[in-house]
């Protein structure tokens, strides 16, 4: 039985200049017709297509997060739901029957309510929008398809992944596992500007194709912290464990309030561009309640009604990462057949039966005073004369990064211990 591999990568790091990939050219395929459509109308159409799949992607994000949280209540969590969903939606183009239905339903799409072409059109426009060259966030996504040189893939699959998911295709010799690993790792290293190396450390010589999906993010806070204000403070991992962490501090105006429904402090911090970070600090003993209750509807309300208020904010400076075996996580969401001998990947190749042998996702996040890019900006604000509350993110909290243009939850995580790498 031949095998296939899907690899997922997310990188968030403070890097030098990133040259975003423009996907404005060559957008074609059966899901959308662009001929003679005025630019303004076309952009509105794209935006609508992104928004039509946004609720499904948000449901998938929360479902996936809860699966990870159930596996461990002591580890940091960080992942990119949109990156994982993109990789598997792309893979679904080559699946049939129950395998096909399982993937799309596992990604929280109801095929009786939404046409499949509409789903892929949504992803096509999501990727196009995220990769806009004028996006101040400097957010870039990439999909690489690595095909064994002896494999004969179905032409329609190759055409669809290229046109709808902007995938690059590479022909390699998987029987030479060392050279195949090098090809894939070089692609990822280049896409991550040299910050992620040796992602693939093991590869089956029977592999026929591998999918690589990465997402690269670089942003800076609209209101940065001053480096001089960062001091070492206590972070209470649990009732028995306290660690020392560099704690950023700023006295000023924030979108901050205490939500009684979630029993949590909710902080919204904007990046320059189209993204907002949510930091949600539960009251003592309310972490699991927060994880169970948080929904896309609650997030939407936070974005709709902001609560500008003065505060003395303490937020840990940290780098966290997560590496996940998606076989078990997605299996709990009903995606099982693609990993089993019952898999139907005949839309990829008709030569031999395939199954997905490995699906990995790696994510890295850096939070510091400037965001993820140094800047010389100084923010001066007028604050009320009353004594502002001290709000310290000095115990486990949740966070999300949300793209306001596509309405997509790009990244989601939980900080249990900032000293864990």
């Amino acid at each position: 039985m031949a095998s296939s591999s899907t690899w997922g990568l997310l990188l968030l790091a403070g890097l030098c200049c990133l040259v975003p990939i423009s996907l404005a050219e060559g957008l074609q395929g059966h899901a959308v017709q662009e001929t003679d459509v005025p630019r303004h109308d076309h952009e509105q159409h794209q935006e609508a297509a992104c928004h039509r799949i946004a609720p499904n992607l948000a449901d998938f994000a929360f479902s996936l997060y809860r699966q990870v949280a159930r596996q461990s209540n002591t580890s940091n969590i960080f992942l990119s739901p949109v990156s994982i969903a993109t990789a598997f939606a792309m893979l679904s183009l080559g699946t049939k029957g129950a395998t096909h239905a399982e993937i799309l339903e596992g990604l929280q799409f109801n095929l009786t309510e939404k046409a499949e072409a509409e789903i892929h059109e949504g992803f096509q426009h999501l990727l196009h929008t995220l990769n806009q060259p004028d996006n101040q966030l400097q957010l870039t996504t990439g999909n690489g398809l690595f095909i064994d040189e002896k494999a004969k893939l179905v032409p329609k699959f190759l055409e669809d992944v290229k046109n709808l998911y902007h995938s690059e295709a590479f022909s390699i010799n998987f029987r030479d596992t060392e050279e195949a690993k090098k090809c894939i790792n070089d692609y990822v290293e280049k896409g991550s500007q040299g910050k992620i190396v040796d992602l693939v450390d093991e590869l089956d010589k029977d592999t026929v194709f591998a999918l690589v999906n990465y997402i690269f993010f670089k942003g800076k806070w609209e209101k940065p912290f001053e480096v001089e204000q960062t001091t070492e403070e206590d972070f209470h991992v649990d009732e028995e464990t306290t660690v020392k962490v560099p704690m950023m501090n700023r006295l000023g105006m924030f979108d901050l309030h205490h939500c009684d429904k979630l029993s949590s402090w909710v902080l919204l911090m904007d990046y320059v561009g189209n993204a907002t970070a949510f930091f949600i600090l539960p009251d003592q003993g309310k972490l699991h309640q927060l994880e169970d209750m948080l929904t896309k509807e609650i997030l939407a309300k936070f974005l709709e009604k902001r609560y500008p208020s003065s505060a003395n904010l303490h937020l840990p400076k940290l780098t966290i990462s997560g590496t996940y075996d998606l076989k078990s996580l997605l299996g709990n969401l009903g995606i099982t057949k693609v990993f089993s001998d019952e898999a139907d990947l005949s839309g990829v190749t008709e030569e031999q039966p395939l199954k997905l042998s490995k699906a990995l996702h790696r994510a890295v996040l850096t939070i510091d005073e400037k965001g993820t890019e140094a800047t010389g900006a100084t923010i001066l604000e007028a604050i009320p004369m009353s004594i502002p509350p001290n709000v310290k993110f000095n115990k486990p909290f949740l966070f999300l990064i949300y793209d306001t243009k596509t309405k997509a939850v790009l990244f989601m995580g939980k900080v249990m211990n900032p000293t864990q790498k």
Side-chain angles (χ1 to χ4, degrees):
M1 174 73 68
S3 61
S4 62
S5 302
T6 293
W7 302 89
L9 161 69
L10 160 69
L11 169 68
L12 284 88
L15 301 182
C16 304
C17 180
L18 168 70
V19 181
I21 300 170
S22 171
L23 300 176
E25 297 175 3
L27 272 178
Q28 48 189 333
H30 63 256
V32 59
Q33 296 295 323
E34 297 192 12
T35 312
D36 299 327
V37 177
R39 179 181 173 86
H40 176 71
D41 291 348
H42 176 56
E43 287 179 353
Q44 284 189 327
H45 172 63
Q46 285 184 323
E47 192 174 17
C50 289
H51 296 173
R52 285 197 293 271
I53 66 168
N56 308 87
L57 293 181
D59 287 337
F60 174 69
F62 288 112
S63 297
L64 188 68
Y65 173 85
R66 290 185 180 108
Q67 290 299 328
V68 179
R70 287 189 189 113
Q71 289 190 354
S72 172
N73 58 8
T74 60
S75 301
N76 292 334
I77 295 174
F78 189 62
L79 46 83
S80 172
V82 76
S83 177
I84 296 167
T86 298
F88 276 80
M90 181 166 71
L91 180 63
S92 77
L93 290 167
T95 60
K96 295 181 180 179
T99 307
H100 182 76
E102 267 192 5
I103 291 176
L104 293 179
E105 288 168 8
L107 297 179
Q108 306 300 307
F109 291 104
N110 185 334
L111 296 176
T112 62
E113 296 176 357
K114 200 178 295 288
E116 187 183 346
E118 188 179 344
I119 295 170
H120 294 302
E121 181 185 16
F123 276 104
Q124 181 189 38
H125 291 155
L126 175 71
L127 295 172
H128 172 65
T129 305
L130 293 180
N131 282 281
Q132 286 289 348
D134 60 347
N135 190 333
Q136 290 175 290
L137 285 175
Q138 298 198 25
L139 181 64
T140 305
T141 66
N143 293 298
L145 176 61
F146 294 84
I147 307 155
D148 188 74
E149 59 190 9
K150 292 192 174 180
K152 185 179 179 184
L153 273 65
V154 175
K156 183 170 180 6
F157 175 72
L158 281 175
E159 182 185 341
D160 285 348
V161 298
K162 181 180 179 182
N163 292 338
L164 298 173
Y165 288 84
H166 318 294
S167 178
E168 299 175 80
F170 306 92
S171 179
I172 60 175
N173 178 12
F174 277 109
R175 286 169 300 288
D176 184 347
T177 55
E178 289 305 311
E179 183 60 28
K181 279 195 299 184
K182 183 178 185 304
C183 285
I184 296 173
N185 285 333
D186 285 353
Y187 172 79
V188 172
E189 185 174 348
K190 182 181 177 183
S192 67
Q193 300 290 295
K195 294 298 178 178
I196 293 275
V197 295
D198 299 329
L199 173 70
V200 181
D201 59 6
E202 189 179 337
L203 203 57
D204 193 319
K205 63 180 173 57
D206 293 326
T207 298
V208 174
F209 79 106
L211 296 178
V212 178
N213 170 273
Y214 70 83
I215 180 167
F216 167 89
F217 175 88
K218 180 170 76 171
K220 55 187 177 182
W221 302 123
E222 279 192 356
K223 297 179 180 180
F225 295 83
E226 291 295 333
V227 176
E228 295 76 19
Q229 298 299 317
T230 298
T231 57
E232 194 173 74
E233 294 184 25
D234 288 340
F235 186 96
H236 306 286
V237 177
D238 53 40
E239 291 181 2
E240 291 83 34
T241 312
T242 299
V243 295
K244 294 288 187 183
V245 300
M247 194 73 77
M248 303 183 296
N249 173 233
R250 186 163 75 82
L251 172 65
M253 298 297 292
F254 296 94
D255 288 314
L256 176 72
H257 76 284
H258 189 273
C259 174
D260 293 336
K261 183 174 182 179
L262 295 179
S263 300
S264 302
W265 282 97
V266 179
L267 167 68
L268 276 65
M269 285 183 58
D270 293 322
Y271 286 99
V272 175
N274 303 311
T276 296
F278 294 78
F279 296 94
I280 308 176
L281 178 69
D283 297 342
Q284 196 65 37
K286 299 294 185 178
L287 178 60
H288 295 307
Q289 175 187 315
L290 168 61
E291 290 180 315
D292 290 338
M293 292 188 67
L294 193 59
T295 63
K296 64 179 185 292
E297 289 80 13
I298 291 175
L299 285 187
K301 286 181 181 176
F302 292 155
L303 285 165
E304 264 174 46
K305 186 177 181 183
R306 296 206 172 193
Y307 297 85
S309 62
S310 62
N312 188 16
L313 179 69
H314 298 253
L315 189 67
K317 179 177 176 177
L318 55 86
T319 297
I320 65 170
S321 63
T323 302
Y324 303 99
D325 177 358
L326 298 179
K327 185 174 180 178
S328 61
L329 289 179
L330 296 181
N332 291 329
L333 297 180
I335 302 176
T336 58
K337 289 191 184 297
V338 72
F339 296 103
S340 75
D341 292 341
E342 298 175 37
D344 185 348
L345 283 155
S346 56
V348 176
T349 178
E350 296 171 347
E351 291 180 328
Q352 54 194 319
L354 298 177
K355 69 177 179 181
L356 189 60
S357 62
K358 187 176 289 188
L360 300 177
H361 177 67
R362 181 179 296 178
V364 183
L365 172 69
T366 296
I367 295 176
D368 64 16
E369 292 89 353
K370 306 300 182 186
T372 55
E373 180 182 16
T375 174
T378 300
I379 304 296
L380 299 176
E381 294 178 306
I383 60 172
M385 293 297 289
S386 56
I387 298 174
N390 260 315
V391 180
K392 294 190 175 187
F393 281 73
N394 62 357
K395 58 188 177 185
F397 61 90
L398 271 59
F399 65 93
L400 303 92
I401 300 178
Y402 175 89
D403 185 85
T404 54
K405 197 169 184 181
T406 61
K407 299 185 179 180
V409 176
L410 299 177
F411 319 119
M412 188 168 182
K414 174 170 66 174
V415 176
M416 291 297 296
N417 182 348
T419 63
Q420 272 182 8
K421 297 300 182 188

